């Protein structure tokens, strides 16, 4: 029987499943290879990084590979923690509304008149849209740019229109209370306010400063009708 040799002419070692095992080599018990300590996953940090990516680039232009890179996780971890891209984006929008976009709701809830609320909203928008440390402008305004997902586009549109509806409701209440003249066109004034906020957002993206946006807000407020006389 001829000995088995390698291609280079040297003799092959013993064959079989135990030939190279620790038990065969030393007769001792096989040792398990130590595992590295798993890297901890900070969900909130990953979510904030996703928020900044969507805010900067929009829904369509932010790919799953972009998200896994900035969040520093693999795709399986992203899907396990957040679901698909659309589910992650929906959570991002909710977080954005709480952390960065809540000034509109606060002003409407806390100010005594529609004009006072809008004045506060426009002034706070000038600050929020130009703050350092995050993308400029409003995520809800810009994230659907060139979006091919109709559900995402509609969801953001609904949020913007809900703000306009809230403005109109407050304006109508002031008309009824005599704070604004009876002839006030509440729908048009509310839409004008929405247009100013969205326009200020785009101007901030284009490099407008806080001071420049505050000047825009001042002009926008100048068109509000004179205060009516409450007779009841």
């Amino acid at each position: 029987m001829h000995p088995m040799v390698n291609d280079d002419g040297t003799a092959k070692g013993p064959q079989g499943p135990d030939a190279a095992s620790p038990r065969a080599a030393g007769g001792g018990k096989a040792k398990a290879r130590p595992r590295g300590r798993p890297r901890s996953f900070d969900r909130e940090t990953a979510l904030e990084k996703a928020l900044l990516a969507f805010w900067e680039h929009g829904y369509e232009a932010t790919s799953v590979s972009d998200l896994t890179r900035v969040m520093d996780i693999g795709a399986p971890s992203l899907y396990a923690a957040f679901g698909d891209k659309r589910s992650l984006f929906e959570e991002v929008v909710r977080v954005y509304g709480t952390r960065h976009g809540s000034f509109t709701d606060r002003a409407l809830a806390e100010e005594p008149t529609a004009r006072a609320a809008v004045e506060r909203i426009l002034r706070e928008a000038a600050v929020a849209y130009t703050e350092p440390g995050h993308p400029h402008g409003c995520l809800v305004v810009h994230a659907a740019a060139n979006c091919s997902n109709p559900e995402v586009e509609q969801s953001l549109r609904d949020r913007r229109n809900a703000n306009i509806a809230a403005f109109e409701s407050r304006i109508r209440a002031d008309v009824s209370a005599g704070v604004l003249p009876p002839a006030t066109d509440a729908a048009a004034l509310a839409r004008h306010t929405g247009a100013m906020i969205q326009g200020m957002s785009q101007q901030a993206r284009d490099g407008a400063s806080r001071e420049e946006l505050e000047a825009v807000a001042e002009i926008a407020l100048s068109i509000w009708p004179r205060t009516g006389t409450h007779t009841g």
Side-chain angles (χ1 to χ4, degrees):
M1 183 175 181
H2 297 290
M4 298 183 68
V5 295
N6 295 312
D7 292 340
D8 61 1
T10 58
K12 285 188 176 182
Q15 303 298 305
D18 293 326
S21 69
R23 189 182 298 277
K29 190 174 182 180
K31 293 182 179 180
R33 185 167 60 183
R35 294 183 177 181
R37 187 174 181 178
R39 184 173 58 186
S40 60
F41 172 65
D42 186 334
R43 191 179 191 281
E44 287 304 307
T45 298
L47 184 60
E48 181 66 19
K49 290 178 178 178
L51 186 155
L52 293 174
F54 281 126
W55 193 350
E56 177 68 29
H57 303 292
Y59 179 83
E60 189 72 23
T62 305
S63 67
V64 171
S65 61
D66 292 331
L67 292 167
T68 57
R69 176 177 51 80
V70 299
M71 297 166 78
D72 196 25
I73 59 175
S77 296
L78 185 152
Y79 293 129
F82 300 103
D84 59 12
K85 176 183 169 181
R86 180 182 166 190
S87 298
L88 171 59
F89 180 71
E90 289 172 350
E91 185 167 354
V92 157
V93 172
R94 289 194 294 271
V95 171
Y96 173 85
T98 300
R99 296 180 185 173
H100 303 281
S102 59
F103 60 87
T104 295
D105 290 339
R106 287 198 307 269
L108 288 170
E110 296 170 5
E111 295 301 325
T113 65
R115 189 190 189 284
V118 168
E119 178 176 7
R120 176 172 162 184
I121 290 166
L122 294 179
R123 295 191 186 284
E124 292 191 8
V127 176
Y129 293 168
T130 58
E131 276 181 332
H134 60 67
H136 286 178
C138 174
L139 180 147
V140 175
V141 172
H142 298 288
N146 302 316
C147 181
S148 63
N149 187 308
E151 291 81 12
V152 169
E153 193 174 24
Q154 185 63 50
S155 174
L156 295 176
R157 184 183 300 116
D158 288 345
R159 285 178 174 270
R160 295 191 297 270
N161 285 336
N163 280 340
I164 293 173
F167 301 150
E168 183 175 348
S169 177
R170 286 299 306 273
I171 293 166
R172 289 191 184 281
D174 280 2
V175 171
S176 296
V179 175
L180 289 171
T184 299
D185 188 336
L189 191 55
R191 194 158 292 281
H192 173 268
T193 301
M196 294 308 305
I197 292 170
Q198 293 171 29
M200 288 170 66
S201 178
Q202 181 60 56
Q203 287 289 305
R205 298 278 288 196
D206 290 344
S209 68
R210 169 183 172 177
E211 292 75 17
E212 288 171 330
L213 294 184
E214 287 175 337
V216 170
E218 196 69 35
I219 294 172
L221 290 165
S222 69
I223 65 95
W224 275 64
R226 294 178 179 275
T227 303
T229 302
H230 180 51
T231 59

